[in-house]
């Protein structure tokens, strides 16, 4: 069984565009390749949007070299990008956007949700791409709530939504460039859960709400903190001390150089400089883009 390496806490927060509050859970600027292939996680909310007629969110901006995974738990987003991909992302839906060689996009609260207002909670994860895939065509995957497998745990202990990877022979529909598990998990108080992870994997647990305990270390994970597990051994086991919602991530690290600045995550400095030059010359529009819908 994997043991707890350390608990990462970042209580700092700042608005992202018009999104507020936002907790910057972790980023590659702090942890580098320790969390490869994962690059960044932002927790938007929980918050309440006041009714407005304005377009609220993050307006058009570029990316290159990685993927963004946006999970909506409350509220409603609207996404548009230069691939032609986009649409409304409602509660329980997931958007998996592969920026790869270059994409321009915007993410805002949907017009209908902005006008009526209400509670929102969203996670956005950045996933790095292998060097060989960084200049591939961009791609957009829209993963509707109804198409994401849900495994109900025995004894009414909770559930595991399989966004990517496999759990109990249920496979997530997200297409990934490297093997990984991305699970949205709910576990009731007093219940214990064992989740799959391979030896050598990067394995992270981000607790949206509740409290968990790792038996082998007698350590507890509090809400909006992240557990980084050891890379050795297999699988992760924990017990919910309260009703708990968490994001579970496990993947093979890339073991490649990492250089990222702002909108771009590449392997080397000169590649990031080239991305800025390509953006200035409008070359992002020239990419041949693919769109996948499920």
């Amino acid at each position: 069984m994997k043991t707890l390496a350390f608990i990462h806490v970042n209580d700092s927060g700042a608005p992202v565009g018009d999104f507020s509050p936002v907790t910057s859970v972790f980023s590659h600027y702090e942890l580098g390749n320790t969390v490869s292939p994962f690059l960044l996680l932002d927790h938007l909310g929980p918050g309440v949007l006041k009714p407005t007629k304005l377009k609220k969110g993050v307006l058009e901006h570029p990316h290159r070299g990685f993927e963004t995974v946006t999970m909506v738990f409350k509220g409603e987003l609207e996404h548009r990008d230069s691939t032609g991909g986009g649409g409304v992302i409602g509660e329980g839906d997931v958007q998996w956007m592969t920026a790869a060689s270059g994409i321009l996009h915007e993410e805002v609260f949907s017009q209908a949700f902005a006008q009526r207002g209400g509670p929102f909670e969203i996670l956005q994860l950045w996933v790095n791409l292998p060097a060989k895939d960084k200049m591939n065509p961009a791609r957009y995957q829209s993963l509707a709530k109804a198409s994401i497998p849900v495994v109900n745990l025995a004894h009414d202990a909770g559930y595991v939504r399989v966004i990517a990877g496999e759990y109990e022979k249920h496979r997530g529909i997200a297409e990934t460039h490297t093997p990984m598990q991305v699970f949205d998990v709910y576990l009731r108080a007093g219940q214990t859960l064992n989740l799959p992870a391979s030896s050598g994997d990067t394995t992270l647990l981000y607790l949206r709400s509740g409290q968990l305990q790792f038996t082998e270390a007698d350590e507890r994970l509090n809400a909006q903190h992240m557990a980084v597990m050891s890379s050795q051994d297999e699988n992760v086991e924990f017990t919910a001390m309260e009703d708990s919602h968490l994001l579970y991530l496990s993947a093979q690290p890339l073991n490649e150089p990492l250089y990222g600045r702002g909108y771009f995550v590449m392997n080397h400095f000169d590649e990031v400089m080239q991305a800025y030059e390509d953006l200035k010359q409008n070359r992002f529009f020239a990419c041949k883009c693919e769109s996948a819908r499920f």
Side-chain angles (χ1 to χ4, degrees):
M1 199 71 61
K2 288 183 179 291
T3 57
L4 177 66
F6 62 93
I7 292 175
H8 180 71
V9 180
N10 187 352
D11 293 328
S12 65
V16 176
D18 293 319
F19 295 124
S20 180
V22 178
T23 300
S24 298
V25 179
F26 77 89
S27 78
H28 60 94
Y29 294 114
E30 309 161 82
L31 299 179
N33 271 323
T34 301
V35 290
S36 175
F38 308 112
L39 292 168
L40 174 151
L41 180 65
D42 281 343
H43 189 174
L44 287 62
V48 176
L49 177 68
K50 294 180 180 180
T52 178
K53 294 182 179 180
L54 300 176
K55 182 184 283 190
K56 304 283 282 186
V58 181
L59 300 182
E60 187 177 84
H61 58 284
H63 289 305
R64 173 178 282 182
F66 63 98
E67 304 178 289
T68 66
V69 183
T70 305
M71 296 157 269
V72 176
F73 301 99
K74 292 180 182 178
E76 195 172 79
L77 287 181
E78 189 165 355
H79 170 95
R80 298 291 174 195
D81 66 48
S82 54
T83 74
V88 173
I89 312 162
E91 295 184 5
D93 296 341
V94 176
Q95 164 199 283
W96 198 297
M97 187 192 77
T98 305
S101 59
I103 202 167
L104 293 165
H105 77 139
E106 70 172 25
E107 297 164 297
V108 297
F109 289 117
S110 71
Q111 185 177 20
F113 178 70
Q115 289 181 349
R116 70 175 181 268
F120 67 90
E121 184 178 9
I122 301 161
L123 291 180
Q124 185 169 90
L125 172 72
W126 289 14
V127 179
N128 203 5
L129 288 171
K132 66 181 181 61
D133 295 325
K134 283 185 177 291
M135 294 302 289
N136 284 355
R139 182 178 66 183
Y140 179 84
Q141 298 178 73
S142 178
L143 313 179
K145 177 181 178 179
S147 65
I148 297 172
V150 179
V151 181
N152 291 309
L153 303 174
H155 311 299
D156 197 29
Y159 60 78
V160 176
R161 290 205 313 150
V162 186
I163 297 168
E166 184 173 336
Y167 179 72
E168 297 291 336
K169 298 182 180 179
H170 294 264
R171 176 162 288 279
I173 60 173
E175 297 180 9
T176 64
H177 287 76
T178 55
M180 68 181 62
Q181 280 119 337
V182 179
F183 300 162
D184 169 31
V185 180
Y186 170 65
L187 190 63
R188 294 188 187 277
Q191 301 293 325
T192 298
L193 183 60
N194 187 298
L195 292 176
S198 298
S199 179
D201 277 3
T202 296
T203 304
L204 312 173
L205 290 83
Y206 174 64
L207 189 59
R208 288 170 45 215
S209 64
Q211 188 181 68
L212 302 180
Q213 180 167 347
F214 297 96
T215 307
E216 92 294 333
D218 196 30
E219 289 202 49
R220 296 192 177 188
L221 181 68
N222 295 319
Q224 299 193 1
H225 295 179
M226 184 179 75
V228 180
M229 309 304 293
S230 67
S231 61
Q232 298 177 346
D233 301 315
E234 299 180 344
N235 302 343
V236 175
E237 188 172 272
F238 52 86
T239 300
M241 309 308 292
E242 305 171 6
D243 288 358
S244 298
H245 289 91
L246 65 130
L247 176 67
Y248 179 79
L249 306 171
S250 191
Q252 296 176 4
L254 297 182
N255 296 319
E256 295 177 345
L258 173 65
Y259 190 88
R261 281 294 178 270
Y263 302 120
F264 311 124
V265 181
M266 304 300 286
N267 298 104
H268 304 286
F269 171 81
D270 60 338
E271 294 170 326
V272 170
M273 293 302 100
Q274 184 62 54
Y276 279 106
E277 181 63 21
D278 289 346
L279 178 66
K280 186 168 65 175
Q281 299 297 330
N282 291 325
R283 294 182 187 132
F284 276 34
F285 291 101
C287 66
K288 296 179 180 179
C289 302
E290 302 172 355
S291 180
R293 296 185 182 278
F294 300 87

